[in-house]
Amino acid sequence: MAKKVTKIGVLTSGGDAPGMNAAVRAVVRTGIYYGLEVYGIMRGYTGMVENDIIPMHSRSVANIIQRGGTILKTARCKEFLQKEGRQKAYNNLKDLGIDGLVIIGGDGSFRGADVFSREFDIPCIGIPGTIDKDIAGTDFTIGFDTAVNTAVESIDKIRDTADAHDRLFIIEVMGRDAGYIALHSGIATGAEHILIPERKTDMEELISSLQEKERRKKLVNMVVVAEGDEFGGGDQVAALVKERLPNVDTRLCILGHIQRGGSPTCLDRLIASRMGYSAVECLLEGRHNVMVGILNNRMQYTLLEKAVKSKQKISDEWMKIVKILAS
Ligand code: ADP
């Protein structure tokens, strides 16, 4: 029989993602609904190590569902990588009587949670919060939809100027070593080519295809590049293209951190609310070391250890669609 949780802590860790606030709100309010005491841990694992932990009430999370970023702040914490740091964190939680944790973050944060809950008797539930969508066991990660919509809006604007000047634009989007933002935003904006880390790119083929489009006077040429692609991101790709096609007016645009900010989309708010609620239910049911995810519209619980080991796959059909639609 699992111990009954009475006091839970919630934290946001690693890279921030729009919709994290909606998840925090859902955890706090669901916890309170079930009679739990809820604590907010500031700046990810740093707050656990440094004892920066505050009681949360229903009103603490008022007016945040629509806000990007995270009211709990987020950080990367070197001390938590060491056993001594994790021991300090555990002592702080123990002193407050916290007996369950909800971690909203990416695969690094889940790795930390997995190690921590193996060492100490505190169940950890992960909520996938990352714009990169690089976690297996869920169709959605909080923040991806907002980030990709921001990218689409920006690339649409670039298309207007590319069209006006007959320019070739190389556009770099975020995603670390995952190509989802590039794939989705590239297809949704009609990019000619999409370069992602999950697929090898034939540079010769890319150059001759761009030459061919130039010869056919295709109105707009846009290449969307994931920051983690094999060539090293947009600036490297732009340099290669400029070298090979010196007569083509080629411009580079790196979208950067605008993709992390902004008000979360309806989808991100919905999945954050559903996952936050489910994470508390998991703790009450005595689950531990799992990530809550949504697969085929149903809640899915994946061991943290498994969630960090595999990534969502990109099907070959998507790559075929890109090629056919850009012709
Ligand atoms: P994300 O969660 O966005 O992938 P990071 O990879 O930076 O972000 O991880 C966030 C934090 O999780 C790290 O700063 C560290 O404190 C903790 N962490 C990551 N990997 C481990 C690990 N193997 N052991 C312990 N803690 C870890």
Side-chain angles (χ1 to χ4, degrees):
M1 229 348 226
K3 266 195 303 175
K4 199 178 167 333
V5 291
T6 54
K7 295 186 186 183
I8 63 170
V10 56
L11 60 107
T12 50
S13 168
D16 63 310
M20 280 182 160
N21 277 328
V24 171
R25 173 180 178 269
V27 170
V28 170
R29 293 205 169 155
T30 308
I32 290 168
Y33 173 83
Y34 283 118
L36 304 176
E37 277 182 49
V38 187
Y39 289 84
I41 299 167
M42 302 302 294
R43 297 173 287 125
Y45 295 123
T46 309
M48 245 160 85
V49 175
E50 295 178 359
N51 205 17
D52 192 0
I53 302 174
I54 50 169
M56 302 287 280
H57 310 285
S58 197
R59 295 278 68 80
S60 323
V61 289
N63 202 21
I64 64 166
I65 195 167
Q66 79 286 9
R67 280 166 57 189
T70 157
I71 58 160
L72 296 179
K73 311 276 184 186
T74 183
R76 297 199 155 94
C77 175
K78 279 204 182 118
E79 268 192 279
F80 202 75
L81 293 170
Q82 309 302 326
K83 176 84 193 262
E84 303 83 73
R86 295 193 293 274
Q87 180 71 54
K88 252 185 175 171
Y90 175 73
N91 295 344
N92 291 331
L93 297 183
K94 220 45 198 166
D95 287 347
L96 284 167
I98 293 175
D99 48 17
L101 278 182
V102 177
I103 295 97
I104 306 164
D107 57 351
S109 304
F110 291 171
R111 232 167 265 131
D114 192 40
V115 173
F116 184 72
S117 68
R118 280 169 197 278
E119 287 171 345
F120 304 104
D121 59 340
I122 296 195
C124 293
I125 306 296
I127 294 181
T130 165
I131 64 167
D132 307 329
K133 202 165 118 82
D134 56 351
I135 294 175
T138 183
D139 290 333
F140 306 102
T141 64
I142 297 167
F144 173 76
D145 189 60
T146 307
V148 89
N149 273 293
T150 302
V152 165
E153 212 178 293
S154 311
I155 298 171
D156 280 347
K157 289 179 178 154
I158 294 169
R159 175 181 274 278
D160 290 344
T161 171
D163 181 28
H165 287 277
D166 289 335
R167 277 178 180 151
L168 163 64
F169 265 90
I170 311 287
I171 303 152
E172 181 190 287
V173 297
M174 279 184 161
R176 290 201 300 186
D177 51 2
Y180 277 98
I181 297 181
L183 182 74
H184 286 221
S185 65
I187 292 174
T189 55
E192 319 306 318
H193 295 276
I194 301 171
L195 276 54
I196 56 174
E198 291 84 350
R199 292 289 184 286
K200 282 242 159 266
T201 302
D202 184 336
M203 193 40 89
E204 290 311 313
E205 200 181 303
L206 177 78
I207 297 292
S208 57
S209 157
L210 291 173
Q211 267 169 333
E212 169 63 13
K213 281 171 179 142
E214 179 74 6
R215 198 182 54 73
R216 279 172 31 215
K217 297 266 172 276
K218 196 158 194 276
L219 289 179
V220 180
N221 265 328
M222 295 190 308
V223 177
V224 173
V225 183
E227 64 181 343
D229 89 299
E230 66 187 291
F231 300 103
D235 50 355
Q236 301 299 322
V237 174
L240 283 166
V241 170
K242 281 180 186 171
E243 192 186 310
R244 298 290 304 278
L245 302 172
N247 298 326
V248 176
D249 189 2
T250 303
R251 299 297 163 106
L252 166 68
C253 184
I254 297 175
L255 296 189
H257 282 81
I258 56 163
Q259 293 160 97
R260 280 198 187 280
S263 181
T265 58
C266 176
L267 178 65
D268 275 331
R269 296 181 203 192
L270 279 178
I271 60 165
S273 301
R274 198 171 167 195
M275 289 174 176
Y277 159 84
S278 285
V280 176
E281 292 231 308
C282 275
L283 285 172
L284 291 169
E285 287 163 8
R287 291 183 201 264
H288 54 95
N289 284 22
V290 294
M291 177 196 81
V292 296
I294 301 171
L295 271 181
N296 299 324
N297 205 26
R298 298 175 76 126
M299 294 318 296
Q300 180 82 23
Y301 310 105
T302 307
L303 282 175
L304 288 174
E305 175 194 24
K306 202 170 160 208
V308 300
K309 274 196 186 136
S310 39
K311 297 206 182 279
Q312 293 184 25
K313 302 267 183 299
I314 289 182
S315 93
D316 285 334
E317 196 162 36
W318 276 123
M319 305 317 291
K320 189 173 171 190
I321 290 171
V322 173
K323 206 165 188 173
I324 292 173
L325 300 191
S327 55

